[in-house]
Amino acid sequence: MPSTLRLSQKESVFNQEVVKRFELYNSLFQTLPFYQVKEIGQLLPFFSAHCEKGAAEQQSPGDIIDSFFKKYVPGVDHGEELNRLFRFIQYIERQVVLFDAIEDSSFGKITNKDDTGSLQSLIQQAAQSEDARANISKQLQDFSLRLVLTAHPTQFYPDSVLGIMTDMIEALRSNDIATIDVLLQQLGKTPFFNKKSPTPVDEARSLVWFLENIFYHALSSIQSKLEDEFDIEGNPNVLELGFWPGGDRDGNPNVTTDTTREVATLLRQIIFRCYYRDFRNLKRRITFRGLTDTITSLEKVLYDNAFNQQENPENLQPYLLQTLREMRDTLINNHDGLFVNIVESMIEKVKLFGSYFATLDIRQDSRVLRDVFKYTTEKVYTGVPKNYAEMDEVAKLKSLPFNQADFKCPDNAEPLIQDTLNTIRLMKQIQHSNGEKGCQRFIISNCQQASDILQLIALHLWSGWEKDKLSIDFMPLFETVNDLKHASEVMERLYTHPFYKSHLKKRGNRQIIMLGFSDSTKDGGYLMANWSIYKAKVELTAMARKHGIQLAFFDGRGGPPARGGGKTHKFYASMGKEIANDHIQLTIQGQTVSSQYGSVETARFNTEQLISAGITSALHPNHHDLLDSKHKALIADMAETSHKLFLDLREHPLFLEYLEKYSPLKLLSQINISSRPTKRNAGAKLKLEDLRAISFVTSWSQLKQNIPGFYGVGTALKKMKDNGSWEDVRDLYYKSGFFKTMLDNCMMSMSKSDFRVTAYMEQDKKFAKFWKGLKAEYELTKQMLLELTETKVLMEEFPVDRRSIAVRERIVLPLVIIQHYALQCINKTDDEELIGIYNKLVIRTVYGIVNAGRNLA
């Protein structure tokens, strides 16, 4: 079937299954129980159409709102107008939920699982010959996939809403209109946001919902399928889960040692609740002689650990596995193997999740760790020379003695110093109760030199850990363009350092390196960030192979392309042999959690895609993805051109002022969705370097300009065309999976931009020229990308995604208009009471806009 015909059919199915059904069920919104203003449900379609017409005519948000009330609700005062805008927001937020649920309920019909890199495609390959099956099995023996849930503040649906969505998805699958109507009414009365900021433990509980209700079932199902089809007995780590809430304290003073302890306890308790629920089914079926006492004792252990607080609990994974395996043997030997499949299912889950459910990662900034190191050397004898701080890097590495000590941090130490030293001790306790995998990774943010790693190791040895029992993986996180440039040099110093070399050997000669995408985008722009990470991966892989180290990259990828998201599996499928790709590790954050892993079906599919991408790229490498020197020079030239333009933009005197005045940047800290401040150095004046990447990207996405996802790409491509390299760039796009995916994701980011909303700024005395510059680069990038890809519209190759984005953008356009209207009003008044109301209006619109984008921030 021709690809164009197949794409057309997919779009047709999407229109029928999603768009048409949304239009049908959307009519139910007229009955939602917002009693304060009864006619809002009837007014909303008129308001949406009015916003669409006004945007098309490039009217200012103020003119659009004012003309709407004059035409449809004449005679009401300004206070009542604002009240109705708040009600519109309530309705539109819930329209987004309905669209999400309809799209998720139709997932199986929209997605063709045979041609999108699913696990089924690997099974079909294996069915062709025993050699093919053996090759896939061999690759799986050395492969692992780790999905790490982070606490980044862009997951706006509370647990209550997620539960309603789950029920609604099931009702939509059977078109149960009565149930859908009731659920929409429940949704109408259910709050969408917190009255106060969540604590880190609250964030953990929110994400544990996904572990318990989604990943527990999806991952065990995939593991079972893999074991049925392939020989992977020797690899118990094909699938792994990681967890950051409660462990990630980088820039978040609200995460403490007590927080980490509480979250580790929560993870342990929840996994035992999952086991206990499965066990009740096992108990109902296995009622045979010879197993009664085992069932009774196993039930007590599972119940106590699931529901009762345990004093100094131990890792029970070995006990559970031994007991379940003995039960399995008894069933096989004495009871004809009856119900043995139920026991084997529990064995698989216990092997996967142990007593820990997900590995709780600890993360802290290198600058904090350096302060802790300095403090400790001043308080206890460590053998570190007194002039250590004045030494250069080479001398520091030689002088570190790695002596053991048992220094307990005094109560009068600074909070960050106390937290670091006490958490290092706590990691050992967590390993005792949850198992080694419960807490075995320490990530050093902003890692700049080898001593950052070695000093952290020394802190462990001074906090009760023994050299020969140091069961911790120390992971550098390289984030900025400059740090990425020097990363391989830092790692060579570590690989050749006697103590670190010995430690790595004890850890199986495996090194994990984290590469952060968000900060490199904020630092260098879209093209430079992608290219810097690619180059760093090539150099780091070569360095690891030189020293006989098995390397795994841990990618810090956010939801949107500007933070490394987009079609992530295509990046992994496009890695050439120059880049280590046997182990895939990536962060799952923001709305990506609910959009890609919000149901068992979507979680299973997206996880399988990543597995398939890793295995396929290893078994059938695309030799075009091994970029030659000519193509590398071409990308490097484009990245440099883009980088220069992006730096010029960042250094523009109006840059931060524009972002503060016309986006909700200053108000993001008031949105009660995160325990983490929107910027580092919270009390200081706003500086770009202190601004968190997530706030930076969110602000541009709310502006509907998505600058971090495309700015500089058009100028770089035009330069290539002007200097006669256009055909080389076109050849690169069609042959290099890396380059193609990078530009395809750029087009996705641009598809969520809408400069019509801010077109009124073309007349602004102060910002007109600045705005025109942003718009010009958008238009140039669009023009160059369409010419390069030989298409007529952005994302023409992905009609379903394009259509989904278009419908979502249409749903939330009124929210965008309301937000910009409120910002305009703030800039025109000194009335503190009104400013407070306008601020609330802005804050409330942020939720729906981000949720609708699914990977906007």
Side-chain angles (χ1 to χ4, degrees):
M1 181 187 298
S3 59
T4 52
L5 179 57
R6 186 169 67 248
L7 292 175
S8 175
Q9 288 181 344
K10 283 185 177 182
E11 186 173 12
S12 176
V13 171
F14 182 84
N15 285 333
Q16 193 65 36
E17 294 294 328
V18 178
V19 179
K20 294 287 187 188
R21 289 208 297 159
F22 175 70
E23 291 169 353
L24 170 66
Y25 291 120
N26 194 31
S27 62
L28 295 174
F29 275 87
Q30 293 186 5
T31 63
L32 278 187
F34 297 134
Y35 298 118
Q36 282 183 273
V37 186
K38 293 183 179 179
E39 74 274 20
I40 287 293
Q42 287 89 353
L43 274 177
L44 182 59
F46 296 103
F47 182 61
S48 297
H50 193 80
C51 288
E52 182 65 41
K53 182 174 182 289
E57 295 173 357
Q58 299 193 359
Q59 297 176 18
S60 77
D63 290 342
I64 293 172
I65 299 290
D66 290 343
S67 61
F68 170 78
F69 282 114
K70 284 178 184 175
K71 181 175 181 180
Y72 292 99
V73 198
V76 297
D77 62 21
H78 187 53
E80 182 58 25
E81 288 177 351
L82 294 176
N83 183 39
R84 290 173 190 246
L85 292 179
F86 277 111
R87 299 301 162 198
F88 283 142
I89 293 170
Q90 284 183 292
Y91 272 79
I92 295 165
E93 284 174 334
R94 287 149 179 83
Q95 282 182 316
V96 173
V97 173
L98 175 63
F99 190 81
D100 282 350
I102 291 173
E103 198 168 48
D104 289 346
S105 72
S106 307
F107 182 80
K109 296 178 181 178
I110 298 167
T111 307
N112 187 338
K113 298 184 180 180
D114 293 331
D115 64 359
T116 48
S118 68
L119 190 54
Q120 190 59 37
S121 64
L122 283 181
I123 293 172
Q124 288 170 353
Q125 289 178 44
Q128 294 174 8
S129 72
E130 283 306 310
D131 284 346
R133 186 178 300 277
N135 287 336
I136 295 172
S137 295
K138 182 176 183 299
Q139 198 60 42
L140 283 166
Q141 291 283 358
D142 299 319
F143 176 82
S144 66
L145 169 65
R146 179 184 292 258
L147 303 175
V148 182
L149 302 182
T150 79
H152 285 38
T154 58
Q155 175 48 56
F156 290 176
Y157 292 139
D159 293 357
S160 53
V161 173
L162 289 170
I164 296 169
M165 283 180 68
T166 301
D167 294 340
M168 196 180 297
I169 288 168
E170 288 305 311
L172 284 161
R173 283 189 177 130
S174 57
N175 286 317
D176 183 349
I177 295 177
T179 301
I180 294 165
D181 188 29
V182 170
L183 289 170
L184 283 174
Q185 291 186 54
Q186 181 187 356
L187 199 64
K189 288 181 172 290
T190 301
F192 267 47
F193 57 93
N194 306 307
K195 290 187 176 179
K196 60 180 182 178
S197 294
T199 67
V201 176
D202 292 333
E203 291 172 330
R205 290 186 186 281
S206 178
L207 283 174
V208 161
W209 187 93
F210 290 94
L211 292 181
E212 182 178 10
N213 295 284
I214 306 297
F215 287 101
Y216 180 73
H217 304 288
L219 264 59
S220 57
S221 169
I222 295 171
Q223 180 77 16
S224 178
K225 192 187 292 189
L226 286 170
E227 293 199 354
D228 286 346
E229 295 291 339
F230 306 106
D231 177 18
I232 58 168
E233 270 304 310
N235 183 5
N237 305 315
V238 175
L239 297 169
E240 300 172 314
L241 286 173
F243 203 73
W244 275 20
D248 177 16
R249 57 245 304 133
D250 176 19
N252 190 349
N254 298 309
V255 177
T256 64
T257 305
D258 287 341
T259 303
T260 303
R261 182 184 293 107
E262 191 172 346
V263 172
T265 301
L266 172 67
L267 288 167
R268 188 181 189 279
Q269 186 175 46
I270 295 299
I271 190 57
F272 275 95
R273 286 185 186 176
C274 290
Y275 293 154
Y276 182 73
R277 282 197 293 267
D278 281 359
F279 173 81
R280 289 167 64 187
N281 181 46
L282 181 150
K283 181 185 176 182
R284 280 198 300 271
R285 295 290 170 263
I286 300 177
T287 52
F288 314 137
R289 289 177 181 172
L291 289 167
T292 306
D293 291 344
T294 303
I295 291 284
T296 301
S297 61
L298 187 56
E299 180 174 28
K300 185 177 188 314
V301 168
L302 292 175
Y303 184 88
D304 285 347
N305 283 274
F307 299 105
N308 298 325
Q309 190 72 36
Q310 301 297 299
E311 289 293 328
N312 193 29
E314 295 183 2
N315 172 27
L316 294 178
Q317 185 183 36
Y319 161 77
L320 293 177
L321 286 175
Q322 181 182 346
T323 304
L324 289 167
R325 284 165 176 161
E326 288 173 357
M327 287 179 65
R328 179 184 61 188
D329 292 344
T330 301
L331 289 173
I332 291 171
N333 295 330
N334 302 338
H335 301 288
D336 303 316
L338 194 59
F339 300 127
V340 73
N341 60 311
I342 300 176
V343 178
E344 286 181 336
S345 175
M346 274 207 74
I347 290 172
E348 291 302 335
K349 288 168 181 171
V350 174
K351 280 163 56 180
L352 261 179
F353 306 116
S355 297
Y356 60 94
F357 213 154
T359 300
L360 183 59
D361 288 349
I362 306 299
R363 183 171 77 132
Q364 185 54 281
D365 189 276
S366 63
R367 291 162 288 194
V368 173
L369 297 174
R370 289 171 204 155
D371 290 342
V372 178
F373 179 85
K374 182 176 181 291
Y375 172 88
T376 309
T377 55
E378 292 171 351
K379 292 293 182 181
V380 65
Y381 175 73
T382 59
V384 174
K386 288 187 177 180
N387 65 335
Y388 178 85
E390 286 76 49
M391 292 179 178
D392 63 20
E393 178 72 357
V394 174
K396 283 181 178 179
L397 300 189
K398 287 181 179 177
S399 66
L400 276 169
F402 299 103
N403 295 326
Q404 291 181 188
D406 194 19
F407 173 65
K408 294 181 174 64
C409 186
D411 292 338
N412 62 356
E414 292 285 333
L416 280 176
I417 290 171
Q418 275 193 63
D419 173 69
T420 302
L421 292 172
N422 291 341
T423 299
I424 287 172
R425 285 183 172 275
L426 177 63
M427 291 176 78
K428 185 185 284 190
Q429 295 175 28
I430 295 173
Q431 288 195 4
H432 173 78
S433 60
N434 295 18
E436 182 180 316
K437 286 186 177 180
C439 192
Q440 63 174 167
R441 293 152 47 111
F442 203 123
I443 302 160
I444 301 95
S445 305
N446 193 39
C447 187
Q448 296 176 328
Q449 47 206 17
S451 56
D452 287 332
I453 299 277
L454 297 177
Q455 288 169 185
L456 178 59
I457 292 177
L459 287 174
H460 278 70
L461 297 179
W462 303 335
S463 301
W465 285 86
E466 300 172 32
K467 294 178 187 178
D468 295 332
K469 298 178 181 176
L470 189 56
S471 49
I472 301 291
D473 295 318
F474 298 95
M475 298 164 47
L477 166 52
F478 300 110
E479 298 180 86
T480 67
V481 171
N482 189 57
D483 290 346
L484 289 165
K485 190 181 297 183
H486 298 290
S488 64
E489 176 188 334
V490 170
M491 294 314 299
E492 180 155 49
R493 284 181 168 168
L494 286 171
Y495 296 149
T496 56
H497 189 279
F499 186 89
Y500 194 76
K501 190 175 181 180
S502 171
H503 174 71
L504 266 192
K505 189 173 182 181
K506 294 187 187 82
R507 304 298 293 164
N509 273 333
R510 295 187 177 193
Q511 175 68 54
I512 305 167
I513 297 174
M514 187 172 183
L515 301 176
F517 196 102
S518 301
D519 280 285
S520 54
T521 306
K522 181 168 77 84
D523 183 44
Y526 183 72
L527 274 184
M528 180 56 83
N530 277 282
W531 181 234
S532 296
I533 289 173
Y534 184 93
K535 282 195 303 178
K537 282 189 171 185
V538 170
E539 292 165 4
L540 288 164
T541 300
M543 190 61 69
R545 288 170 179 169
K546 174 183 173 182
H547 293 280
I549 304 299
Q550 188 177 8
L551 180 61
F553 288 114
F554 178 20
D555 292 307
R557 292 185 171 274
R563 293 184 54 237
K567 295 184 177 300
T568 308
H569 66 282
K570 292 200 171 186
F571 266 116
Y572 291 113
S574 68
M575 294 296 101
K577 286 188 175 181
E578 285 186 302
I579 294 176
N581 202 31
D582 290 335
H583 306 280
I584 293 176
Q585 302 190 19
L586 71 157
T587 54
I588 307 293
Q589 55 192 263
Q591 322 84 290
T592 305
V593 180
S594 56
S595 65
Q596 296 187 6
Y597 300 89
S599 69
V600 174
E601 185 179 24
T602 56
R604 196 162 51 216
F605 175 74
N606 284 295
T607 304
E608 287 182 8
Q609 276 200 316
L610 289 167
I611 296 171
S612 181
I615 299 302
T616 302
S617 68
L619 289 175
H620 312 291
N622 182 347
H623 296 294
H624 293 300
D625 284 319
L626 189 63
L627 296 169
D628 58 28
S629 56
K630 177 184 174 183
H631 284 142
K632 285 179 180 177
L634 200 64
I635 299 176
D637 192 354
M638 286 187 280
E640 286 295 338
T641 301
S642 173
H643 186 218
K644 183 180 184 306
L645 194 74
F646 187 77
L647 289 184
D648 288 344
L649 177 67
R650 278 181 30 145
E651 291 163 10
H652 194 288
L654 295 179
F655 182 76
L656 265 184
E657 186 181 352
Y658 176 82
L659 206 54
E660 282 189 289
K661 194 169 184 179
Y662 293 104
S663 83
L665 175 61
K666 290 191 294 186
L667 299 174
L668 290 179
S669 61
Q670 298 179 33
I671 299 177
N672 295 322
I673 56 169
S674 174
S675 67
R676 181 190 298 266
T678 56
K679 67 185 183 77
R680 296 173 176 87
N681 301 321
K685 183 181 177 183
L686 179 65
K687 296 178 184 175
L688 188 58
E689 55 267 29
D690 289 336
L691 186 62
R692 291 193 175 281
I694 194 166
S695 304
F696 181 72
V697 174
T698 298
S699 299
W700 284 112
S701 69
Q702 295 286 312
L703 263 167
K704 285 296 161 191
Q705 291 173 4
N706 289 330
I707 295 300
F710 75 84
Y711 196 83
V713 174
T715 295
L717 289 173
K718 187 165 191 310
K719 180 186 174 185
M720 293 299 104
K721 184 177 181 181
D722 291 346
N723 69 13
S725 302
W726 191 242
E727 288 307 314
D728 293 331
V729 175
R730 179 169 282 155
D731 182 64
L732 182 63
Y733 176 77
Y734 285 108
K735 290 182 176 177
S736 167
F738 162 73
F739 188 67
K740 184 179 189 303
T741 303
M742 182 170 63
L743 293 191
D744 286 349
N745 282 341
C746 174
M747 285 189 276
M748 179 192 294
S749 194
M750 294 179 71
S751 296
K752 298 177 182 181
S753 299
D754 188 350
F755 277 81
R756 299 177 307 169
V757 176
T758 49
Y760 67 95
M761 293 185 61
E762 197 166 7
Q763 310 303 322
D764 190 273
K765 292 179 181 178
K766 186 172 185 178
F767 293 99
K769 187 176 179 182
F770 184 81
W771 181 86
K772 288 176 183 177
L774 302 178
K775 174 76 160 30
E777 182 62 20
Y778 172 85
E779 294 296 346
L780 176 63
T781 304
K782 180 179 178 181
Q783 174 193 333
M784 300 310 298
L785 285 172
L786 292 180
E787 186 176 343
L788 177 68
T789 58
E790 300 176 293
T791 54
K792 295 179 180 178
V793 293
L794 294 173
M795 296 186 70
E796 188 175 295
E797 189 181 340
F798 308 101
V800 169
D801 292 343
R802 187 183 75 245
R803 188 82 173 97
S804 175
I805 289 169
V807 176
R808 290 172 177 279
E809 292 299 303
R810 193 173 74 238
I811 292 170
V812 297
L813 179 62
L815 293 185
V816 179
I817 299 293
I818 292 171
Q819 181 184 111
H820 287 273
Y821 165 73
L823 287 168
Q824 275 187 292
C825 291
I826 290 169
N827 293 330
K828 291 177 181 177
T829 184
D830 295 322
D831 186 317
E832 291 298 325
E833 184 179 352
L834 271 178
I835 288 173
I837 296 171
Y838 295 142
N839 283 345
K840 286 181 183 177
L841 206 55
V842 172
I843 290 166
R844 284 295 309 279
T845 60
V846 171
Y847 293 87
I849 295 169
V850 172
N851 284 334
R854 283 207 158 185
N855 65 354
L856 270 182

